Amino acid sequence: MIPQSLFGLVGYPLSHSFSQRYFTQKFLSLGLKNCCYKLFETKNECEILNLLQEKPNILGLNVTSPYKQSIIPYLDDIDPVAQEINAVNTIKVKEGKLIGYNTDYLGFKYSLEQNTDISKINQAVILGSGGASQSVAYVLKILNIPYLIVSRTKKDFNKNIHIITYEDLNSMDYRDFSLIVNATPCGMYGKNENSIPNIDMEKINDKHIVFDLIYNPSPTLLLSLASKKGAKTIDGLQMLYSQAEYSWQIWNS
């Protein structure tokens, strides 16, 4: 019997993820009966490495929060773009070696270009400073869109990165930027008082584009409130599907 080709998603938690559903349908549509995609909730990087040892038929993994940056030291090689972004969301297993890639930036770029007029974005703010945030920042950089990264603290950041706090942000005139990207997990676990980033929603208007990388639930509370203020809203579902396609191209090459 031919060993099953196994792919999957590692991260914690994963109950919100649509990745398994997406790839299962993809494999069915392509007639790939020997391919399977599973969710692997892992509580640390060592569990990811153990998983790869226990299941030698794994050919590729997607990586989500909180491991997009912390997995890098455990890789055998890394694509130059992923290295520059300093975040990995796709791992290809080739001849026993783990090679890291970033397809998040490609997914974000595709969705942004499909849903907005790039030329009309004067400046952006990125909420969050983790791996997803770095992918967004890379795209804005190559599109020549000025941006600020918003974090809860300015500690331990490279001085060349434009970091402000939420307090700094809320003291600003929101008319100074037209794009707001939520790259935090806020909103992933329901619609309560803790499910929205600490921004001043009263300053949002119809001149703003609010892009939430979260796709489940849809819409998030952030997008619901922004829509009521007249802002154009974009969720992360198209980005998810796009980055998944790029991941498949990597695994299949």
Side-chain angles (χ1 to χ4, degrees):
M1 181 180 293
I2 299 174
Q4 188 177 54
S5 297
L6 184 59
F7 304 88
L9 175 68
V10 291
Y12 189 86
L14 297 179
S15 58
H16 66 284
S17 177
F18 285 178
S19 294
Q20 184 176 33
R21 181 193 311 176
Y22 180 80
F23 276 105
T24 298
Q25 288 297 320
K26 182 173 183 64
F27 295 155
L28 285 172
S29 68
L30 294 174
L32 299 174
K33 297 180 180 180
N34 197 48
C35 290
C36 182
Y37 191 99
K38 295 185 178 181
L39 302 181
F40 300 105
E41 285 198 334
T42 47
K43 295 185 179 180
N44 54 58
E45 294 81 5
C46 290
E47 286 190 8
I48 299 174
L49 298 179
N50 291 339
L51 171 69
L52 288 161
Q53 289 181 342
E54 293 167 3
K55 299 183 182 296
N57 56 330
I58 291 178
L59 301 182
L61 291 172
N62 289 126
V63 182
T64 191
S65 179
Y67 305 123
K68 291 184 180 184
Q69 293 177 306
S70 61
I71 193 63
I72 292 176
Y74 299 91
L75 302 175
D76 297 295
D77 198 3
I78 184 169
D79 176 76
V81 174
Q83 188 168 39
E84 182 174 348
I85 294 172
N86 192 35
V88 163
N89 78 304
T90 300
I91 296 173
K92 180 174 183 175
V93 184
K94 184 176 182 180
E95 298 175 352
K97 303 293 185 181
L98 308 181
I99 308 169
Y101 299 84
N102 188 298
T103 66
D104 276 339
Y105 88 93
L106 293 167
F108 176 73
K109 183 174 184 290
Y110 177 79
S111 186
L112 187 67
E113 290 177 330
Q114 289 294 306
N115 292 284
T116 68
D117 182 347
I118 300 295
S119 67
K120 293 183 178 179
I121 301 175
N122 63 338
Q123 186 175 209
V125 292
I126 307 169
L127 310 179
S129 54
S133 170
Q134 301 307 309
S135 299
V136 171
Y138 181 80
V139 171
L140 297 176
K141 178 182 176 182
I142 63 177
L143 292 176
N144 295 312
I145 298 173
Y147 65 88
L148 298 169
I149 294 178
V150 186
S151 177
R152 287 173 293 182
T153 174
K154 290 183 179 180
K155 294 180 180 178
D156 301 323
F157 284 105
N158 187 314
K159 291 182 180 179
N160 294 322
I161 300 177
H162 313 292
I163 297 287
I164 63 172
T165 65
Y166 285 92
E167 185 178 32
D168 295 331
L169 175 65
N170 290 331
S171 68
M172 296 171 61
D173 187 338
Y174 277 30
R175 289 176 295 185
D176 291 340
F177 45 84
S178 52
L179 174 65
I180 301 169
V181 182
N182 177 35
T184 77
C186 287
M188 190 178 291
Y189 309 114
K191 296 185 178 181
N192 54 53
E193 64 277 7
N194 297 318
S195 63
I196 184 170
N198 185 27
I199 64 174
D200 190 346
M201 294 303 302
E202 294 302 316
K203 294 183 178 181
I204 303 294
N205 57 46
D206 60 1
K207 305 299 182 187
H208 290 106
I209 303 164
V210 181
F211 193 138
D212 197 333
L213 303 193
I214 295 170
Y215 56 85
N216 182 22
S218 179
T220 59
L221 181 57
L222 172 63
L223 294 189
S224 294
L225 295 176
S227 181
K228 290 177 181 177
K229 294 292 183 178
K232 177 179 178 59
T233 60
I234 309 168
D235 69 23
L237 191 60
Q238 187 178 44
M239 174 182 169
L240 170 75
Y241 291 164
S242 180
Q243 67 81 22
E245 283 300 314
Y246 285 114
S247 292
W248 176 245
Q249 290 176 24
I250 290 168
W251 296 332
N252 211 30
S253 63

